[in-house]
Amino acid sequence: MKTDAHKRITSFMPPHRTLMGPGPSDVSQRVLDAMARPTIGHLDPAFVEMMEEMKTLLRYAFQTENDLTFPISAPGSVGMESCFVNLVEPGDQVIVCVNGVFGGRMVENVKRCGGTPIVIQDAWGAPVDPNKVGDAFKANPNVKVLAFVHAETSTGVQSDAKTLAEIARRQGALTIVDAVTSLAGTKLLVDAWGLDAVYSGSQKCLSCTPGLSPVTFSPRVVETVKARKAHGQSWFMDLSLVLGYWTAAKRTYHHTAPINALYGLHESLVMLQEEGLEHSWARHHANHLKLKAGLEQLGIEFLVAEPYRLPQLNTIKIPSGVDDAKTRSRLLNEYNLEIGAGLGDLAGKVWRIGLMGYGSCEANVNKCLAALGEVLA
Ligand SMILES: *Cc1c(COP(=O)(O)O)cnc(C)c1O
């Protein structure tokens, strides 16, 4: 036996933190309670009924009538990958807008599917420039897909999904849209904006635990997948197979759904329905304004120009002379408060303060401002 005989390992008891980073966000007791309910079989009629409700609730959250709307049994990154492996075949041209970390991952996905990425760069901290997208379509008339991130969590920037999707539709191209951080936090209208393949995550503004990726696919996506010349490289993510699990009248086994995690997502979507989507957007905006007012009193500046700021992810410049890592570890150890560090070129230069989902509340705004004020003093 190779186990460490000196230490008897006992149950893990996590500390109580306030999660104000880029996700996961605070999970309500109501969602945690839902996840503690009895595990039943994933083909049990009661479970199948819950799956049907889940699809209805997700259609509301995404503002879509798309039949094919369900949570993928994996984190947001797999939602992203599912869009690419299903829609991008070898040789396909894909315009990818990169203005942060997640756009960069989209480029990787296109390459791994054998597609040709046409990369449009915008500065980290700036939104995607629709004019550049229009020019790229003019120069490349055979582009099949336009891919972009609606809410770039690495920088706190919101891009104009409606305008970008209009450009793509005019050119007959499909859109792949990252709505991981935008869903339920800022306005997202999948049908009205004509978005095609949209993926999100459970742990940002839905405030469920991580590990699930709500997705929605337009009828045009379904047609495109059915018309594929050959299967994509992934068995697990093959939409034509997942369909039999989530949409067929008679369910067939594809994989075992993460039963209790889905109870949690169901509960968080019920909470969203109770609050109302517009109210959720308004609450995120109002708490952002409160945080902004307090930060400005502390002399702290935002990275992103005002019209493009995400209310649910506030990227602020670290005041000069302040130690990034030391400050964050004091916030964690002395105040049980987690905020996010900068990524890539922004590492050491910014902090990312999340006000997502259940965590977008006045108590969190006040806690964060008080703690920052004390630590920076
Ligand atoms: C968090 C995030 C992802 C990845 O989601 P995971 O659940 O961590 O895999 C993708 N895109 C954006 C914009 C995100 O914020």
Side-chain angles (χ1 to χ4, degrees):
M1 285 269 279
K2 276 206 158 181
T3 44
D4 185 349
H6 304 294
K7 192 181 171 204
R8 190 181 137 78
I9 296 174
T10 56
S11 305
F12 176 61
M13 295 296 170
H16 283 276
R17 306 288 200 204
T18 301
L19 301 179
M20 298 185 71
S25 58
D26 279 342
V27 179
S28 68
Q29 194 58 45
R30 209 174 133 178
V31 168
L32 293 174
D33 287 346
M35 293 175 77
R37 289 177 193 145
T39 304
I40 58 176
H42 71 125
L43 298 175
D44 187 310
F47 189 74
V48 171
E49 206 178 305
M50 194 278 292
M51 289 165 93
E52 286 304 308
E53 288 182 356
M54 179 88 85
K55 290 193 290 187
T56 304
L57 290 163
L58 280 176
R59 284 189 195 108
Y60 170 66
F62 277 120
Q63 291 290 288
T64 183
E65 312 248 295
N66 287 340
D67 248 359
L68 195 50
T69 303
F70 66 99
I72 288 179
S73 305
S77 304
V78 181
M80 177 191 285
E81 193 140 357
S82 295
C83 295
F84 286 94
V85 295
N86 281 286
L87 285 178
V88 180
E89 292 188 71
D92 285 345
Q93 291 186 332
V94 181
I95 297 179
V96 187
C97 307
V98 180
N99 61 338
V101 167
F102 294 102
R105 287 194 185 174
M106 287 176 149
V107 175
E108 269 310 303
N109 270 274
V110 173
K111 287 184 191 158
R112 285 171 194 230
C113 294
T116 307
I118 297 161
V119 179
I120 295 180
Q121 299 272 2
D122 278 292
W124 285 39
V128 173
D129 180 352
N131 293 320
K132 291 189 195 167
V133 175
D135 291 346
F137 270 112
K138 271 182 215 134
N140 304 279
N142 296 320
V143 165
K144 181 180 184 183
V145 176
L146 168 68
F148 62 88
V149 179
H150 184 209
E152 233 323 330
T153 324
S154 62
T155 63
V157 163
Q158 174 156 219
S159 288
D160 183 350
K162 179 172 183 260
T163 299
L164 294 172
E166 258 163 30
I167 297 169
R169 229 180 17 260
R170 236 181 283 134
Q171 306 290 331
L174 294 164
T175 43
I176 294 179
V177 183
D178 181 318
V180 175
T181 284
S182 56
L183 185 67
T186 32
K187 191 170 183 179
L188 170 69
L189 304 174
V190 168
D191 284 2
W193 295 350
L195 313 180
D196 290 303
V198 186
Y199 61 91
S200 190
S202 48
Q203 79 278 28
K204 313 262 168 136
C205 295
L206 293 176
S207 275
C208 183
T209 52
L212 293 169
S213 179
V215 290
T216 187
F217 299 111
S218 71
R220 296 203 303 161
V221 171
V222 179
E223 281 160 35
T224 307
V225 172
K226 284 188 177 152
R228 279 188 71 112
K229 295 183 214 83
H231 287 309
Q233 69 270 34
S234 170
W235 176 86
F236 182 75
M237 286 181 268
D238 186 339
L239 269 185
S240 58
L241 301 177
V242 179
L243 278 176
Y245 192 46
W246 272 96
T247 64
K250 191 173 180 324
R251 305 278 156 142
T252 49
Y253 170 63
H254 176 261
H255 66 280
T256 312
I259 317 269
N260 291 56
L262 289 172
Y263 298 165
L265 182 60
H266 184 279
E267 192 67 19
S268 67
L269 290 166
V270 167
M271 288 169 73
L272 178 65
Q273 185 192 51
E274 283 171 5
E275 180 178 22
L277 197 51
E278 278 92 352
H279 284 118
S280 181
W281 297 336
R283 172 171 53 85
H284 281 86
H285 188 65
N287 287 316
H288 157 73
L289 292 180
K290 281 183 206 137
L291 181 73
K292 170 181 172 259
L295 288 170
E296 282 170 356
Q297 278 188 347
L298 292 172
I300 291 176
E301 292 170 23
F302 278 74
L303 173 78
V304 178
E306 193 143 9
Y308 311 114
R309 282 177 201 161
L310 285 170
Q312 62 273 54
L313 203 278
N314 299 268
T315 306
I316 55 172
K317 296 179 185 166
I318 299 175
S320 64
V322 171
D323 187 311
D324 170 25
K326 230 182 247 166
T327 306
R328 280 185 294 106
S329 91
R330 277 195 65 193
L331 290 172
L332 191 68
N333 295 325
E334 295 169 31
Y335 300 85
N336 276 308
L337 174 65
E338 178 182 279
I339 65 167
L343 294 177
D345 286 349
L346 295 175
K349 296 182 186 145
V350 301
W351 288 320
R352 293 179 299 150
I353 302 181
L355 284 170
M356 296 182 178
Y358 184 70
S360 175
C361 60
E362 194 161 353
N364 278 11
V365 171
N366 291 340
K367 173 168 180 158
C368 179
L369 289 172
L372 260 184
E374 284 174 25
V375 171
L376 293 178

